[in-house]
Amino acid sequence: MSLSTFREMKLTHLLLPLRIGLFLLWLGAPTWLHSETLSGTVEDQSGAVIVGARIEISGADLGIPVALLSDGQGKFSFSDLKPGKYSVRVTCDGFESLVKAVDLRGPVQLQLQLVIAQRREQIAVSGKNLAYANSDPVYRMLRGIGPGDTFRFDNFTLPLDTATFQFRKGTLTMLSPVNGIVTGAIFSGEGHFNLKPVLMLDANELKRRTGAGEADDDFIEVVFRFTEQERLKFVPGLGERVETPADVGTILEHWKERMRKRRDEAQGFTEDLLHGETMDNVDADVLAALYNPSHPSFLNAYIRGKKCKDLRFFVRARVGALPQLDSPEEVALINYDPDEMDDGVWYLAHLKSEYLNHTARAVEDRRLFATHAYKIETTISKNNHLFSTATITFQPLIPGERLLKFGLLPNLRVTRVLDEHGQDIYYIQESRKEDGSFYVILPKAPEAGKESSITVQYEGDKVLAQAGEGSYYVRARTSWYPNLNGFGEHVLYDLTYKVPRKYKVVSVGKLQGESVEENFAVSHWVTSIPVAVAGFNYGNYTKIELPDEITGYKISGYYLTELPDNLRSYRALDSMAPHSMTKYALEQTRAQLQLCSYYFGKSPYDEIYITEQPDFNFGQSWPNLVYLPISAYTDSTQRWMLFGTINSKFSGFVQEVTPHEVAHQWWGHAVGWASYHDQWLSEGFAEFSAGLFLQQAMAGDWRKDYIEFWDRLHDRILEKNNYGVAPNDAGPLWMGLRLISPRTANAYQDITYPKGAYVLQMLRSMMYSPQDQDKAFIAMMHDFVESHRDRAASTESFKAIAEKHMSKNMDLAGNGRLDWFFDEWVYGTQVPRYHFEYQLSSADAGKVKLHMTVTQSGVEDHFAMLVPVFADFGKGMMRIGQIGIVGSSTGSADVLLPSQPKKVALNAFKDILER
C-alpha cells in the first residue's frame, strides 16, 4: 500500500452532493420489482484493505454513475440495482485504476485488488488535509497563550517532593485561562530553590556533579506549567491582585523561544535529551491534560537562577519525569547548559513518598496506551525519498486519554492522519527546527480496554543516505515510523517495502513474499512474535546462506560488492573479499548462536540475517537482523595496511563485534531492559558474551585473546581522560546514560559495556566449581532468560535470580542475599587493588603446601570479594579455588596441592576487576 491509500478530503466533500441527490431521487421513485446488491472489498496486493478508495458503478439503466467510498474495513455495498451489465471502476491515489465488468444476475461480492502505481516520486496533499495539522482550536489557544492576572507572592514556601521553592518577594502571574483552566504561571522577583535527595546514592551523584549533596540556587524568575491539581498548591500564597510587571511578557516569550527551538546537531547530552528528535511539545502535553481531567498530574518548573541560568525541575506522574530515558522515576532536576561543563541530569528519582512507604519500583508501566500492532507500507523512491503509510492498533490503559505521542524523525513530515473509519483527524507536528514531535489528537477518548487504530501518512528524507554505488546508511533506526512507546513494549509488525528494482531490503521479521512491479521490487515481512523495534537494511546486496544443523537456526548473510565512496581511496581495501569474509562472519554467527543457546537457552528467533553496512566501526542488532560494520569484513593484513601498524584496540573491536551483536538476540531482544538503569543487562551481557566466545568458540589456544579482551575492558573502565577523570569516576554502573557529562563524554560507553560485562563475569567466577564448572552459572542464565521473555528485566529482578542460584560461598553477609556484591559493583564505584604472595613447601605423602597472603587495598572496610586462585602444573593455569577478603586488609590461607606447581597466581584470567 502506498502513501495515498486514502482519498483526499476534498474528493469526499465533492461526492456528498451526488450521494444526497441520488438518495432524494430514489426516495421519490418506485421500488424496483427485482433489485440486486453489488458489494465488495478493496485490497492492495498484500491483502491489506484500502480505506477511502473511490468506486464508480455505471451501466445498465443508470443514467448517473453511483459513487461510493470504501469504509474502514475496505468494504462497500450498494443495493437496489436492476439486473444487468455494469462496469465497476476503482481509483485511489498511489494505485493504478481498476475496471471490472459485472453481469449482475443476483447478489455479487467482489474482491478488488489494486496495484501500486508504477512511478511515485511526489505526493500531492490537499490543503484540506493539511488543515488538520496544528489546527486543533484548543491547541492554537495554548500556542498563543499570554499573561493573565497577577498577584503579590511574598514569603511563601512551596514544597514539591524533594524540592522546596521559597518565594521571598515578587509577583506570580497566571497564564490566561484556556477553556477556563489556568495551565501555568510566571514568578518574577527573589526566591531560593533547594533539592535534598532522599537516597544517599542520589546525594552522591549530586555531589559528583555540584560538589554538594544538595542543590541550592537563588532565582529571579520561574516559569511553571502544570495540571489543575498542581495549580491549587500555589493558591494559599496568593496575595492581592496587582498590575502585571512589564518584564513578564518578555519572560514568557523568551521561554517559548527556548522551549520550541531545536538544532539539527545537539551540543550536549541534555540538549540531545530534551531538544532532540523526541523533544516534548509542552503545549501538546498541556493539551492532553485539558482534554482529560484525569490525566496524570505534572508540574514543570523552568528556573532562571543566579548560578544556573536554566535549571529545569519536573514532577510527572505515570509517564515519568524524563520519558526520553524510558524511566518510571517521577522527579528530575536538569541543569540545561549544553555549552558549559556542569551540563547534565543532576537528579532523577522516584517520589519521596514512594521511598518513605517502600513502594518505589524499578519496573512500572509508564504507558498511556498499549500498542498491539503496526502495519507499515513504505516506498523508497529513486532519490531516496521515503513515503509511508502506517496503521497503528492500540488500546488505552487509562480512561479519558485523547493524545498519543509518537517518536518520529522530524524530517519525516506527516501529511494525513485518519481514524479507523477513514475520517481525517487533528494532529500536531510543528517545524522540524521547532518542537516538531508528532502527536495525534483523537476525536474522543477510546473506550477502556477496546482496540482502536489510526492510519498515518508521512514522507521525507534523512532516513537513508547514499554511501556509494549500491550502499546506503540507514540513519533513522528507531524513528523511521511513528513509534508509540519505543523499546518499552513488544509489538507485532507487518512490513511491506517497495524499492527500486536493483536494490534489496533486509528487514526484521520473516519474508512472506517478493514480487516485481514495473521497476520496483516489493517485499513483505511479518514478525511471528512481538518485538521491541522494527528496522531494515537497504542496498545492492548479494545473499549467501549457512545451515546450522545443531541449533536449527537459519542463517543468511548479505554483503555489498562495492566499497562506500569514503573508503575507495584506501588501497588497503582493494583486496577485500566480501563473499569469503561474509562466509567467515556467518561461521562466527553460527558458533555464537550455538554457544549462547548452550549458556543462555534458546533465542526466540529461528532466523537471523547478518548484513554488511557501510559504517566503518559501528554495529547494531535488531530482532533477527544484525548490522555489521564494513570493518568486520577486513582481515589483519588489510587493517595493518590501513593503519600502518597493528592497532590492538581496533583489532579487538573487529574480533568482538560479530559475537557481541549476535548475542543481542538474547540481550536486548529476548530479554529487554526496564529503564536506563538497566541497559547494562543488555550491553554488558552482550560484551560478556563476546568474551565467552573468545574463550569457548575460537580454535587453538584461547588464553592470549581472552586475557587481552579483559585487559581492554579493564583499561576502558579505569584509564583517565584529558580531564583526569576515569569513566569509573563518573558514577556507578546503575546510572547508565546519566554518566555522560562534558568531562565524561564517553563514560556511558566505557562503563555500561565493560563494567557490565565484568559484573557478569565476576558472578560466573564466584559460582564456578572444579567439579561442576559453569553448571550453576548456566542454570542461572537459563532461568533469567526464561523468566523475562515476556517482561522487561531490571537490575533488581536480575539480582533476585542471582540470589536464587548463589552458592554458599557467595553468602558473605550470611543473609542469603547479594546486596554486598551489587552495592559494590552496580551501585558503587570502588575498585580494589590486590597484592599476592605465596610460598611452597613439602608436605606429607608427596603433596605440596601452598601458603598464600593476599592484601586488598583502596576500598572501604565493608568491601568484600571472592578472588580466584590459579596454579600452573605444566599445562597452563588452572583454577584451584578462591579466597575471600574484606576491607583494606591482609589475609592468608594454606592449601595442600597434589604436586609442585610451576607458578601460582591470583586472578590469572582477569575474572575480577582490579586496579
Side-chain angles (χ1 to χ4, degrees):
M1 190 187 296
S2 71
L3 247 153
S4 289
T5 297
F6 306 100
R7 294 295 296 154
E8 306 289 0
M9 275 297 295
K10 64 179 182 181
L11 294 177
T12 303
H13 287 289
L14 285 173
L15 288 171
L16 286 175
L18 174 62
R19 296 169 73 180
I20 294 170
L22 287 170
F23 175 75
L24 293 174
L25 173 66
W26 295 333
L27 186 66
T31 304
W32 295 107
L33 294 176
H34 301 286
S35 62
E36 304 293 355
T37 299
L38 179 60
S39 60
T41 304
V42 185
E43 302 175 339
D44 66 11
Q45 290 169 292
S46 71
V49 299
I50 298 176
V51 180
R54 188 175 192 267
I55 301 99
E56 290 183 3
I57 305 172
S58 60
D61 291 339
L62 286 176
I64 302 174
V66 174
L68 307 169
L69 292 179
S70 59
D71 64 16
Q73 286 74 46
K75 297 182 181 300
F76 67 93
S77 180
F78 197 81
S79 303
D80 297 327
L81 289 174
K82 186 177 180 179
K85 294 183 178 181
Y86 294 88
S87 176
V88 178
R89 186 172 187 269
V90 186
T91 58
C92 187
D93 287 348
F95 292 87
E96 304 288 352
S97 60
L98 174 68
V99 178
K100 189 173 183 65
V102 177
D103 189 358
L104 192 64
R105 304 295 175 188
V108 172
Q109 174 74 32
L110 299 176
Q111 292 294 120
L112 301 172
Q113 188 177 86
L114 299 188
V115 176
I116 296 175
Q118 176 180 349
R119 292 181 60 84
R120 197 164 185 289
E121 300 294 331
Q122 296 181 347
I123 290 180
V125 181
S126 73
K128 192 168 288 294
N129 290 335
L130 289 179
Y132 286 85
N134 309 317
S135 301
D136 177 88
V138 180
Y139 175 71
R140 296 314 314 163
M141 294 172 65
L142 288 168
R143 205 67 177 169
I145 202 166
D149 293 336
T150 298
F151 303 86
R152 290 300 311 172
F153 208 59
D154 303 330
N155 300 317
F156 180 67
T157 298
L158 177 64
L160 292 170
D161 198 73
T162 49
T164 302
F165 288 83
Q166 292 179 328
F167 301 97
R168 292 167 178 159
K169 182 179 180 182
T171 60
L172 188 71
T173 301
M174 299 297 181
L175 298 185
S176 56
V178 176
N179 276 10
I181 297 174
V182 174
T183 63
I186 301 166
F187 175 81
S188 177
E190 299 175 5
H192 183 79
F193 173 81
N194 170 267
L195 185 144
K196 184 177 181 180
V198 178
L199 302 182
M200 185 57 65
L201 182 69
D202 293 314
N204 289 340
E205 173 63 12
L206 196 55
K207 189 172 184 178
R208 265 189 292 271
R209 297 280 185 172
T210 68
E214 299 182 21
D216 283 286
D217 201 358
D218 292 327
F219 57 77
I220 56 175
E221 63 188 52
V222 186
V223 175
F224 295 97
R225 299 306 299 270
F226 40 60
T227 53
E228 174 65 10
Q229 52 267 59
E230 296 300 317
R231 180 193 69 83
L232 297 176
K233 296 176 181 179
F234 291 81
V235 173
L238 297 179
E240 61 181 346
R241 184 179 281 108
V242 296
E243 185 177 344
T244 300
D247 64 343
V248 166
T250 303
I251 292 171
L252 179 59
E253 291 308 310
H254 285 174
W255 175 83
K256 288 182 182 180
E257 182 180 354
R258 295 200 319 275
M259 292 305 105
R260 298 174 182 178
K261 181 180 179 182
R262 178 182 173 271
R263 293 187 283 199
D264 286 335
E265 296 293 332
Q267 300 302 304
F269 175 61
T270 60
E271 183 176 358
D272 184 63
L273 190 69
L274 299 179
H275 290 256
E277 291 180 1
T278 58
M279 71 179 292
D280 287 334
N281 178 324
V282 178
D283 300 306
D285 292 340
V286 172
L287 181 66
L290 289 179
Y291 278 149
N292 182 16
S294 300
H295 184 77
S297 66
F298 66 82
L299 179 144
N300 300 351
Y302 304 87
I303 307 163
R304 181 173 177 82
K306 292 185 177 179
K307 293 186 296 184
C308 301
K309 304 306 180 186
D310 193 351
L311 271 179
R312 303 184 185 184
F313 175 73
F314 302 149
V315 183
R316 297 179 183 172
R318 178 100 187 179
V319 298
L322 288 177
Q324 296 89 340
L325 287 178
D326 293 326
S327 171
E329 293 161 319
E330 299 90 350
V331 188
L333 179 66
I334 303 99
N335 184 38
Y336 185 82
D337 200 352
D339 299 320
E340 298 298 331
M341 300 303 288
D342 53 0
D343 175 74
V345 178
W346 285 3
Y347 182 79
L348 184 56
H350 287 284
L351 294 168
K352 181 178 181 180
S353 59
E354 292 185 359
Y355 290 126
L356 297 179
N357 296 326
H358 305 287
T359 57
R361 297 290 180 265
V363 181
E364 297 176 9
D365 195 348
R366 303 178 301 102
R367 300 172 299 165
L368 302 178
F369 298 87
T371 320
H372 289 178
Y374 291 94
K375 182 179 176 61
I376 306 171
E377 294 163 351
T378 298
T379 298
I380 298 172
S381 68
K382 292 180 180 178
N383 63 356
N384 304 327
H385 201 74
L386 182 141
F387 306 98
S388 283
T389 297
T391 298
I392 303 114
T393 304
F394 58 89
Q395 178 182 330
L397 295 178
I398 61 175
E401 286 300 313
R402 287 182 55 193
L403 261 74
L404 301 97
K405 181 185 179 183
F406 294 91
L408 183 68
L409 183 72
N411 283 79
L412 294 173
R413 307 308 297 170
V414 175
T415 57
R416 197 174 190 188
V417 181
L418 300 105
D419 65 14
E420 56 195 352
H421 304 295
Q423 299 298 310
D424 285 273
I425 59 177
Y426 287 116
Y427 63 92
I428 297 169
Q429 190 188 37
E430 300 290 347
S431 162
R432 67 179 182 84
K433 291 189 177 294
E434 295 182 306
D435 45 348
S437 290
F438 173 47
Y439 297 75
V440 170
I441 306 171
L442 300 175
K444 63 179 182 178
E447 280 183 45
K450 182 181 178 182
E451 257 191 9
S452 300
S453 66
I454 58 169
T455 298
V456 181
Q457 298 177 1
Y458 60 98
E459 62 168 295
D461 299 305
K462 305 298 183 182
V463 172
L464 296 170
Q466 189 157 9
E469 182 61 34
S471 62
Y472 291 85
Y473 303 106
V474 182
R475 292 305 189 205
R477 297 285 174 88
T478 60
S479 57
W480 65 275
Y481 62 95
N483 195 324
L484 184 56
N485 289 312
F487 275 84
E489 63 185 0
H490 286 198
V491 180
L492 291 170
Y493 286 85
D494 184 315
L495 307 163
T496 301
Y497 306 90
K498 179 183 177 185
V499 303
R501 185 172 179 175
K502 66 178 179 178
Y503 295 130
K504 183 181 290 291
V505 167
V506 189
S507 174
V508 162
K510 290 186 177 183
L511 182 63
Q512 302 297 300
E514 292 180 289
S515 61
V516 174
E517 297 176 9
E518 300 296 336
N519 293 319
F520 287 86
V522 181
S523 61
H524 180 209
W525 308 72
V526 173
T527 60
S528 57
I529 62 171
V531 297
V533 66
F536 64 93
N537 218 346
Y538 172 68
N540 189 10
Y541 281 111
T542 300
K543 177 183 177 181
I544 63 174
E545 295 181 343
L546 185 71
D548 185 357
E549 296 177 356
I550 295 177
T551 63
Y553 291 117
K554 183 179 179 181
I555 307 168
S556 304
Y558 296 82
Y559 64 88
L560 301 166
T561 57
E562 299 290 336
L563 285 170
D565 291 343
N566 66 336
L567 296 178
R568 286 182 178 273
S569 61
Y570 293 94
R571 299 295 302 274
L573 301 179
D574 289 346
S575 61
M576 281 185 65
H579 181 276
S580 61
M581 291 306 291
T582 299
K583 188 173 183 297
Y584 176 69
L586 296 189
E587 290 170 349
Q588 283 189 307
T589 299
R590 180 170 61 183
Q592 183 67 325
L593 289 171
Q594 293 173 1
L595 181 65
C596 289
S597 296
Y598 176 73
Y599 267 82
F600 312 135
K602 182 72 175 175
S603 162
Y605 318 108
D606 52 17
E607 294 187 47
I608 186 168
Y609 315 127
I610 307 299
T611 64
E612 179 187 357
Q613 63 176 355
D615 291 279
F616 190 70
N617 60 351
F618 169 69
Q620 197 168 39
S621 185
W622 262 199
N624 79 283
L625 172 64
V626 173
Y627 305 82
L628 285 185
I630 201 167
S631 58
Y633 296 79
T634 61
D635 59 32
S636 57
T637 301
Q638 290 156 351
R639 293 194 296 273
W640 182 85
M641 293 175 64
L642 195 62
F643 293 108
T645 184
I646 299 297
N647 187 317
S648 59
K649 286 186 177 180
F650 191 75
S651 294
F653 167 79
V654 172
Q655 192 179 47
E656 300 157 22
V657 64
T658 300
H660 175 103
E661 299 303 343
V662 171
H664 272 305
Q665 299 303 301
W666 281 263
W667 314 124
H669 296 307
V671 178
W673 65 87
S675 80
Y676 72 98
H677 287 304
D678 314 302
Q679 280 183 272
W680 70 276
L681 299 172
S682 172
E683 297 297 352
F685 283 24
E687 194 79 343
F688 163 86
S689 302
L692 189 67
F693 177 88
L694 296 177
Q695 183 190 44
Q696 301 286 340
M698 296 292 287
D701 190 348
W702 51 270
R703 293 172 178 81
K704 180 177 180 296
D705 287 343
Y706 184 69
I707 292 172
E708 287 178 353
F709 168 83
W710 291 108
D711 278 339
R712 286 193 298 272
L713 268 55
H714 168 277
D715 293 346
R716 288 175 65 184
I717 298 166
L718 297 175
E719 279 187 351
K720 294 184 178 181
N721 61 19
N722 293 335
Y723 293 101
V725 182
N728 193 67
D729 299 333
L733 173 63
W734 189 72
M735 285 295 173
L737 285 165
R738 287 175 57 195
L739 296 167
I740 298 172
S741 76
R743 290 184 179 84
T744 57
N746 297 321
Y748 168 75
Q749 294 279 345
D750 290 335
I751 288 294
T752 304
Y753 288 67
K755 194 171 183 182
Y758 252 115
V759 168
L760 192 55
Q761 177 65 9
M762 288 188 285
L763 285 170
R764 180 191 179 201
S765 172
M766 292 189 296
M767 298 176 81
Y768 183 90
S769 74
Q771 296 78 24
D772 295 327
Q773 299 185 343
D774 280 332
K775 183 178 179 180
F777 176 77
I778 291 171
M780 176 184 76
M781 299 309 289
H782 277 248
D783 192 1
F784 179 54
V785 171
E786 284 302 318
S787 61
H788 289 83
R789 286 193 187 273
D790 298 318
R791 63 187 180 104
S794 67
T795 299
E796 289 77 6
S797 70
F798 172 66
K799 175 174 173 284
I801 295 292
E803 289 171 343
K804 179 180 173 182
H805 293 270
M806 63 187 285
S807 66
K808 290 182 179 180
N809 290 337
M810 296 167 67
D811 192 11
L812 299 185
N815 59 3
R817 298 175 61 86
L818 287 173
D819 295 340
W820 65 271
F821 178 81
F822 280 78
D823 286 345
E824 292 170 4
W825 297 107
V826 179
Y827 305 114
T829 60
Q830 296 182 71
V831 178
R833 191 183 303 276
Y834 293 107
H835 179 74
F836 180 69
E837 294 180 352
Y838 68 94
Q839 295 84 38
L840 298 170
S841 59
S842 298
D844 295 339
K847 294 184 178 182
V848 175
K849 179 182 178 182
L850 168 64
H851 178 75
M852 300 176 290
T853 302
V854 180
T855 299
Q856 179 174 262
S857 61
V859 293
E860 295 177 356
D861 291 344
H862 58 77
F863 190 99
M865 198 57 210
L866 294 171
V867 190
V869 181
F870 295 80
D872 182 358
F873 293 98
K875 295 183 179 181
M877 286 289 181
M878 61 175 292
R879 179 166 165 153
I880 60 173
Q882 55 187 345
I883 187 168
I885 189 165
V886 180
S888 290
S889 62
T890 299
S892 60
D894 294 323
V895 178
L896 283 178
L897 302 178
S899 61
Q900 180 85 10
K902 295 172 63 176
K903 183 180 180 181
V904 179
L906 193 72
N907 201 24
F909 291 126
K910 313 296 182 180
D911 296 299
I912 307 302
L913 179 61
E914 61 171 310
R915 292 191 182 274

